[in-house]
Amino acid sequence: MALLRTREAVVQRFRTVLSRHGLTEQQWRILRALDGHEGLEISLLAEQCRILLPSMTGILRRMEQRGLVRRYANQADGRSIRVRLTETAQALVEEIKPEVVGVYAEIERILGQRKLEQLYALLEELEAGLLEGGRRSGAV
Amino acid sequence: MALLRTREAVVQRFRTVLSRHGLTEQQWRILRALDGHEGLEISLLAEQCRILLPSMTGILRRMEQRGLVRRYANQADGRSIRVRLTETAQALVEEIKPEVVGVYAEIERILGQRKLEQLYALLEELEAGLLEGGRRSGAV
DNA sequence: TATTGTTATACTCTATAACTATA
DNA sequence: TATAGTTATAGAGTATAACAATA
């Protein structure tokens, strides 16, 4: 249960930071995924952010209304739609980054650098394995 | 971001298992917290599960309607209410446990026992530190 | 026919403020 | 006055199925 419980404590930290800027955790994942990209297809974005497509539609609609993202058509394939950040969104990401870094700094203060790196490595390995397994055998 | 991203993969595993039994992650946390206890006060339960009281009211109402928990008054203090599992709920917990263990087994298969223990220890330490810090300095 | 994305629908949780009743 | 819990509200994400447009 440790992962689930700890997650709750960590996520609440992030939610506090993000909600001050009117963002949810999912919206932040989308901002981060799009940051530094010319534009991503919605289905690719959904996969990277681990958000289902119907949820994605709603989340992107809210973000678009708020002027954070823009949809634009893909000339090569009329079905697919790409999304990219507006300048407003890029500025917002830069504004929030330091605060998010603050949360990580708190974590590092608690664990120390060596253990934080250990934790990070373990999580990466676990994530890779879970995705791999998920692809192979479907959801557990 | 590793913790947030990995969390998503892990949580989706659990959600898959739990939703087959019509449970949410929060309801599972409550079931686990109450399992093996005579009864817990709602505010204590909320703290342990990291769920806000107003959310708790709704979640408990749904669980009570489904016959999983029962509220009963505290004679010593007319304001506080205790909650405990019904036999149905206890049977359900026993039924689900092996499946949840299956998810942990998958994690152990990915990381190996030694690394899993490492991960567990790091998370425990992080959680304790976050709670400590949260109590001391407020959110973030 | 298969794929990309949206719509429809119903449910659950989050979060804040206001309120009730006990203490 | 303070505490335990509920109610009222509004908003947001999850999940499944059905659908439209394009390939």
Side-chain angles (χ1 to χ4, degrees):
Chain A
M1 282 282 108
L3 189 53
L4 285 188
R5 277 208 326 266
T6 306
R7 151 202 113 94
E8 204 62 27
V10 173
V11 164
Q12 276 180 6
R13 287 295 193 291
F14 283 104
R15 268 207 285 260
T16 305
V17 168
L18 296 176
S19 75
R20 276 204 289 266
H21 299 277
L23 293 175
T24 65
E25 195 203 325
Q26 288 80 1
Q27 292 177 357
W28 177 244
R29 289 211 301 271
I30 291 171
L31 289 178
R32 291 303 305 264
L34 290 177
D35 190 26
H37 285 84
E38 281 298 305
L40 249 57
E41 283 174 23
I42 291 183
S43 51
L44 201 65
L45 183 63
E47 193 188 340
Q48 278 187 23
C49 297
R50 302 205 221 311
I51 292 174
L52 295 176
L53 270 176
S55 304
M56 207 65 187
T57 299
I59 299 173
L60 287 179
R61 191 186 64 238
R62 284 183 283 277
M63 293 178 78
E64 196 166 17
Q65 280 168 353
R66 200 179 144 188
L68 294 178
V69 299
R70 265 200 309 269
R71 287 170 162 87
Y72 58 102
N74 183 348
Q75 295 164 340
D77 185 337
R79 294 170 302 182
S80 96
I81 294 174
R82 308 191 125 208
V83 189
R84 75 171 145 200
L85 297 188
T86 62
E87 288 182 9
T88 307
Q90 284 173 358
L92 185 61
V93 169
E94 293 310 315
E95 187 185 335
I96 294 176
K97 263 183 191 168
E99 297 183 44
V100 169
V101 167
V103 178
Y104 286 110
E106 188 194 359
I107 292 175
E108 181 166 350
R109 186 177 54 68
I110 291 167
L111 289 182
Q113 201 196 336
R114 195 180 57 80
K115 286 184 179 174
L116 177 61
E117 280 169 14
Q118 255 182 36
L119 176 61
Y120 191 81
L122 288 171
L123 289 172
E124 291 278 303
E125 188 177 343
L126 176 56
E127 188 189 17
L130 282 172
L131 292 183
E132 171 65 23
R135 223 168 269 129
R136 218 173 46 239
S137 61
V140 173
Chain B
M1 283 281 105
L3 189 53
L4 285 188
R5 275 207 327 265
T6 306
R7 152 201 114 93
E8 202 63 28
V10 173
V11 165
Q12 277 180 5
R13 285 296 193 291
F14 283 103
R15 268 207 286 260
T16 304
V17 168
L18 296 175
S19 75
R20 275 203 290 267
H21 299 277
L23 293 176
T24 64
E25 194 204 327
Q26 288 81 0
Q27 291 176 355
W28 178 244
R29 289 211 302 269
I30 290 171
L31 289 177
R32 291 302 306 264
L34 291 177
D35 190 26
H37 284 84
E38 282 298 305
L40 250 56
E41 284 174 23
I42 291 184
S43 51
L44 202 64
L45 183 63
E47 192 188 340
Q48 278 187 24
C49 297
R50 302 204 220 312
I51 292 173
L52 296 177
L53 270 176
S55 304
M56 207 65 187
T57 299
I59 298 173
L60 287 179
R61 192 186 62 238
R62 284 182 284 278
M63 292 178 79
E64 195 166 18
Q65 280 169 352
R66 200 179 143 188
L68 295 178
V69 299
R70 265 200 310 267
R71 287 169 161 89
Y72 58 103
N74 184 347
Q75 295 164 338
D77 186 338
R79 294 169 301 181
S80 97
I81 294 174
R82 310 192 122 206
V83 189
R84 76 171 146 201
L85 297 188
T86 62
E87 289 182 9
T88 308
Q90 284 173 357
L92 185 61
V93 168
E94 293 310 313
E95 187 186 336
I96 294 177
K97 263 184 190 167
E99 298 184 43
V100 169
V101 167
V103 178
Y104 287 110
E106 188 194 359
I107 292 175
E108 181 167 350
R109 186 177 55 66
I110 291 167
L111 288 182
Q113 200 196 336
R114 195 181 57 81
K115 286 185 180 174
L116 177 61
E117 279 168 15
Q118 254 183 36
L119 176 60
Y120 191 80
L122 288 171
L123 289 173
E124 291 278 302
E125 188 177 344
L126 176 55
E127 189 189 15
L130 282 172
L131 292 184
E132 170 64 23
R135 222 168 271 132
R136 219 175 44 240
S137 62
V140 178

